[in-house]
Amino acid sequence: MAELHNPAIEVHHDDHAHAHDHHGHDDHGHHELNFIEKYIFSQDHKVIGKQFLILGMAWAIVGGLFSIFFRLQLAWPDESFPILEWFLGGWAEGGKLSADFYYALVTMHGTILVFFVLTAGLSGTFSNFLIPLQIGARDMASPAMNMGSFWFFVLSSIVMFVSLVIQTGPAAGGWTAYPPLSALPQASQGSGLGMDLWLISIALFIISVALGGLNYVTTIINMRTKGMDFFRMPLTIWAFFFTAIIGLLSFPVLFGAAILLEFDRLLGTSFFLSDIYVAGEALHHSGGSPILFQHLFWFLGHPEVYIIILPAMGIVSEVMAVHSRKPIFGYKAMVFSILGITILSFIVWAHHMFVTGLNPFVASIFVLFTLLIAVPSAIKVFNWITTLWRGSIRLNPAMLFAIGFVSLFISGGLTGIYLGNATLDIQLHDTYFVVAHFHIVMGLAAFYGMFAGIYHWFPKMFGRYLNSTLGYIHFYVTLVGSYAIFWPMHYIGMSGVPRRYFDFTVFNQFNQYADLNKFITVAAIVVFFVNLLFVINFFYSIFKGRKVTVQNPWGATTLEWTAPINPGHGNWEGDIPAVYRWPYDYSINGRDFIPQTEKLGPNESEDHDIGSDTPKPTEKVPGENLH
Amino acid sequence: MNTLIGLLAVVLIFIIVFQLAKASDLMGILKGEKEGENTEGANKTQGLLLMIFMIVGLIGVVVGWLIYEPQLLQGGWSFVPASMHGVEINSSFWITTVVCGIVFFITQAILFWFAYKYRGREGHKAQHFSHDNKLEIIWTVIPAIVLTVLVARGIETWYDITSEAPEGARIVEVTAQQFNWTVRYPGADAVLGQREFELISGENALGINWGDVKSQDDLMPSEIVLEKGVPVLFKLGAKDVLHSFYLTHFMVKMDCVPGIPTQFWMTPTVSTQEMRDHRNNQEFDYELACAELCGRAHWNMRYVVKVLEPAEYKSWVASQTPFYENVKASLAPPADAIPAGADSTVTVPVEGDTTKPSIGEKESDTNVISSL
C-alpha cells in the first residue's frame, strides 16, 4: 500500500503478517487479531507496556502489604493481629508474626519492590510504551523478543510466588542474599528451597531484562523516524536508553553471582564459603570469600538503583516541560548528566561495603566517586527547578507528582552525602538512616516518577482520563505520608538503631522510639490504602473514565500525541511522521507550543542549546539501516 | 470481628471518597473545564496546598530536630561520644548536616515557591527559557567545590580511624556466631593462642588449640571489659554466617566474616559509671549489637560492654582465671596431646611454630584484606 514507504515498516509488517499466517499482507492495521493475540500474547509494544504495568501493580500491592505486616510487628511487638494469621496462617500463629517469617517478609518486600515493581513495572512499562511512540517507530526492533521479555517476567513472577507458599517459606536472607546465610540451609529456614526458587526467579528475571534492554537499545539506535536525530529525542528516551545500557552491562554480573551461589549450595563448591562451622559441624568449604559475592552483587546492585531512578528522571523531565509550558531547562546538560550518572554508577558499588573490612585505601576511592555522583544529580535538580521558573504551570496530578519527585530526590539525595562518606558510614551503616535514605531517594522518588508517568500518559494508553479529584487525594496523602513514614527514620537511624531488627525491646539503647514506630506504621497503613484507591481509580477509569476527544490534550510537542487517540498496532495510520525540531518548543514565537512534526519557519532556527550540530532536514531515514 | 468491621469501614470510606471524586470531576466537566487544561481556580488551590505542605513540612523538620536531636545517642550528636575517633565522626556529621541542611531548606523552599508563583493563570504566558551556560557552570562548580571539601575531610578522617592500631593496644578477640558472641583476651603474654575452625566442638567453642602454650593463659570472660583511655584492637571473626560487630556509643562497626579476619581499633574515653551518671540512669550499660542480618535471632545478640577506670580494670583482670584451667581436666591425656573432637591428622604445633598462621597472628594482613 501507498503508506508503506519506510522500508523498516515494511519489514516489520511482513514479519507480523507471516507470524500469524495471515492472508491480508497489504491491509496494514486492519488485520484481525483474536483476543489472545491482542491482549495476552501480544507483540504490540503498547500492550506489552500495559502488561508490565499491571503485573507490576499486582506485585506492588503484594510487596506493600508485606511491609504493612512487618510494620505492625515493629510498632506493636507485643500485640497479636488475627488478620495476620488469616493471611499468613502458620507463619503468624495466634496473630503473632514469627521471626523467621518476619525476615522472609522483609526479604520479599525488598526483592519484589526493587526488581518486579521498580524495574519491570517502571522501566518495563514506559520503555515499552513510549520508545516506539516517541521516536516514531511502528514497534520495537523485535516485537517477538519484546513479548518474550514480558513472559520471562511472568515466569520469574510465578517462581517467586511459588516460593511464598512453600512449607519452608521464601528466602529470608535479605534482598541482597549475602552468603553464607543464603548458602546454608542449616543457618536459616529461608535458605532452603525458598532460596533456590529466589535464585531461579532472579535468573529468569535477568533474561527478561536482557531481552527488553536489547530491544530498547536497538530500537532507539536504528528505528528513529526521519529527522529524529539523537539530540531531538525527548529526555524520556535518553533516560530509557541509558537505563537499558546499564541493565545490559550490570545484570549479567548478578546472573553470574546467582549461578555461583547455586553451585555452592548444590554442588559443594567454595566460591563464597570458607572455614564455616554451623549446626554442630565444620563444613568442608575452604578458600571462598563471602565478600566476593558482595562485590558481584553490588556491581549490579548499585547500578540497579540508577536503573530504577533514571526512567523516573526522564519521565519527570518530560512531564515538567509539558505542564510548565516551557522547554526543559538545559536539555543538553540533562543528557550529559544522565550520561555522567550512568558512567559513575559502575564505579561506586563498594560504598555498600565500607565496613566489611575493605582496604581503607580502596574505600577512599569509592568515597570519591560516590560523592562525585552528587554533581550531575545537583545539576538535574537545579535544572528542574529552573524549568518551573516563569512557567505557566498546570498543577494537575501528573505535574504534582513530578514536583513531589524533585522534593523527594533532594531529601533522599542529601542523605546520600552522609552515607557516601565512609567515616559517617561507620556509624550509620545498616541503621534506619540507610532505610530512610534509599526508600526516599530511589523507592518513593521512583514511585512518584511512575505516578507522574501514569497520570500523564494514561489518556494515550487507554483513551480515557483518570479521575483527577482522586488523583489530587492520592498525591497529597501520599506526599504527606511519604515524609511521615520516612522522615522520622532519620532520627531513629541517627541514634544508631539497626535495620532488620524483629524486636527492639531486647536492647535498652534501641528501645526508646516505640512512639515513633507506631506513628510510622499508622502512616504506612494510610499510604497503602490511598494507593489502593489509586489502583481502583486506574481500573475504573480504563473502562469508565472520561473519554479523550482531542488528539493532544496536554498540548505536547512529542510524537505520541500525533498518533490516533486509540492507536492500533503500528501506531500511525498513515505515514510515520517526520521530525523537524527538538521536542521542547513551548511558549515560543507567540505560540503555546510547536509540535516536533512542524517544519522550521523561514526565519526560524532551532532555538536551544543544540547549537551547530543541528541536522539538516535532508537527513537519511534511520530505518534504512535495517536493509 | 474487629478486623471485619475495620475492613468494612475501609470499603465504605473508599466508596464515599470514590463517589465524591466522581461527582467533583463531573462538576468540572459541566462547568466547561477544557479537556487537558486546569482552571485558574484549580491551579490556585493546588499551588496553595503545595505551599502549605512546604511551610508545615519545613517547620515540622525543625521541630522534629529540636525534639529528637537531644535524645539521639547519649544526649545528641553534640555530646562527646564514648570513643576518641567518635569525636571525629561527630564533627564530620555536623559539617555534613550544616551543608546539607542549608541546601535542603533553600531548594525545597524554592521548588514549592516556584510551583505556587508560576501556576497557570489566565492571560499569563510562560517564558521560553531553554538554557543558560553560565547558570549551568555555576551549579556545577559550586557543588563540586563543596563536595571536594567534604570528600577531602571524610577521607582524612577515614584514614585516621582505619590506621594501624598504636603499639601496645590491648587485643580483644570477638567471634560471632548464631546468635551470640565469644570473647577472648590474650592473657598475660598479650598473644592469643592458635585456633583452627576444624577444632570447634561443643566443648571448644572457638576451636582453640590447647597444645599451644600461648592459648593456655587466654581469658574468655562473659562480657567485654575495657580500660578507659587505653587503645583496644578488636580482632573479629565469625563461625557460621556474616555478623557485624556494632558498638553504637563508641561509633564502632565492622563486619565479622567467616574465613576472613577483620579488625577495628578505638580508644574508649567514657567509663560505664561516668555514662551512668551523665544519663542519670544507674542501669545503663554499653551494649554490643549485631548489625548484619544473620538469621532469625539477629535482633537478639545483646552483649554487655564495660569500660572501667584503670584501677578497676586491674583488679578485674586479676580476678579472671585462664579458660584453660576449666578445660584442663577434661583434656586427656594432658599436656601436648590432641584436643578432644579434633581430627587426628591435625598436627599440634609447638610453641613458636608459625608455619600455619592462626587468626590470632594474622595482624599484619588484616588491613589489606579486600578480597579483590
Side-chain angles (χ1 to χ4, degrees), chain A residues 554-572:
Chain A
W554 308 130
T557 57
T558 41
L559 288 182
E560 74 272 28
W561 304 102
T562 64
I565 292 171
N566 286 301
H569 195 179
N571 297 339
W572 286 272

Side-chain angles (χ1 to χ4, degrees), chain A residues 122 126 236 240 310-320 449 452-453 457:
Chain A
L122 179 55
F126 288 101
T236 35
F240 300 147
L310 287 182
M313 286 175 164
I315 289 168
V316 164
S317 303
E318 178 66 18
V319 168
M320 269 204 163
W457 279 290

Side-chain angles (χ1 to χ4, degrees), chain A residues 138-192:
Chain A
R138 298 243 181 244
D139 205 316
M140 287 288 178
S142 168
M145 248 168 78
N146 207 27
M147 179 178 76
S149 159
F150 175 70
W151 286 97
F152 269 102
F153 173 37
V154 172
L155 276 181
S156 162
S157 295
I158 291 171
V159 174
M160 194 64 83
F161 195 83
V162 168
S163 88
L164 294 176
V165 295
I166 59 173
Q167 196 172 4
T168 49
W175 81 282
T176 51
Y178 281 177
L181 183 63
S182 62
L184 305 172
Q186 308 94 306
S188 160
Q189 214 171 0
S191 299

Side-chain angles (χ1 to χ4, degrees), chain A residues 331-409:
Chain A
Y331 171 81
K332 242 185 181 170
M334 291 303 241
V335 172
F336 286 114
S337 56
I338 298 178
L339 176 64
I341 289 173
T342 301
I343 293 168
L344 286 172
S345 75
F346 283 101
I347 45 176
V348 297
W349 78 87
H351 67 216
H352 297 271
M353 300 166 57
F354 287 146
V355 297
T356 55
L358 195 70
N359 181 315
F361 173 72
V362 174
S364 66
I365 303 293
F366 281 94
V367 172
L368 178 66
F369 287 137
T370 301
L371 294 192
L372 219 56
I373 273 201
V375 175
S377 307
I379 294 172
K380 294 192 83 73
V381 166
F382 291 128
N383 285 353
W384 283 317
I385 292 177
T386 314
T387 302
L388 298 180
W389 183 72
R390 295 202 173 167
S392 176
I393 304 166
R394 202 186 274 148
L395 290 169
N396 58 17
M399 185 62 179
L400 291 174
F401 272 109
I403 294 168
F405 168 92
V406 178
S407 170
L408 287 163
F409 188 71

Side-chain angles (χ1 to χ4, degrees), chain B residues 182-197:
Chain B
T182 314
V183 178
R184 186 162 69 128
Y185 283 64
D189 62 359
V191 181
L192 289 162
Q194 289 187 358
R195 284 172 56 187
E196 303 290 340
F197 90 99

Side-chain angles (χ1 to χ4, degrees), chain A residues 100 187 277 330 355 357 360 364 390 393 395 407 411 418 423 427 429-430 465 468-469 476 496 501 509 549 586, chain B residues 24-25 35 37 43 46 97 108 118 120 127-128 130 154 158-159 178 239 246 253 255 287 290-291 296 369:
Chain A
D100 269 312
Y277 178 89
V355 297
S364 66
R390 295 202 173 167
I393 304 166
L395 290 169
S407 170
S411 304
Y418 290 75
T423 310
Q427 176 71 351
H429 186 84
D430 263 327
Y465 295 96
S468 58
T469 310
Y476 286 106
Y501 265 37
Q509 60 182 351
T549 59
Y586 290 102
Chain B
S24 154
D25 267 26
E35 206 176 320
E37 284 300 331
N43 280 336
Q46 301 311 320
T97 300
Q108 296 283 7
Y118 300 110
Q127 183 188 328
H128 186 90
S130 65
W158 170 252
Y159 282 149
Q178 287 181 327
K239 277 155 64 173
Y246 176 32
K253 194 178 285 139
D255 288 356
E287 293 167 316
C290 181
R296 71 178 66 85
I369 294 287

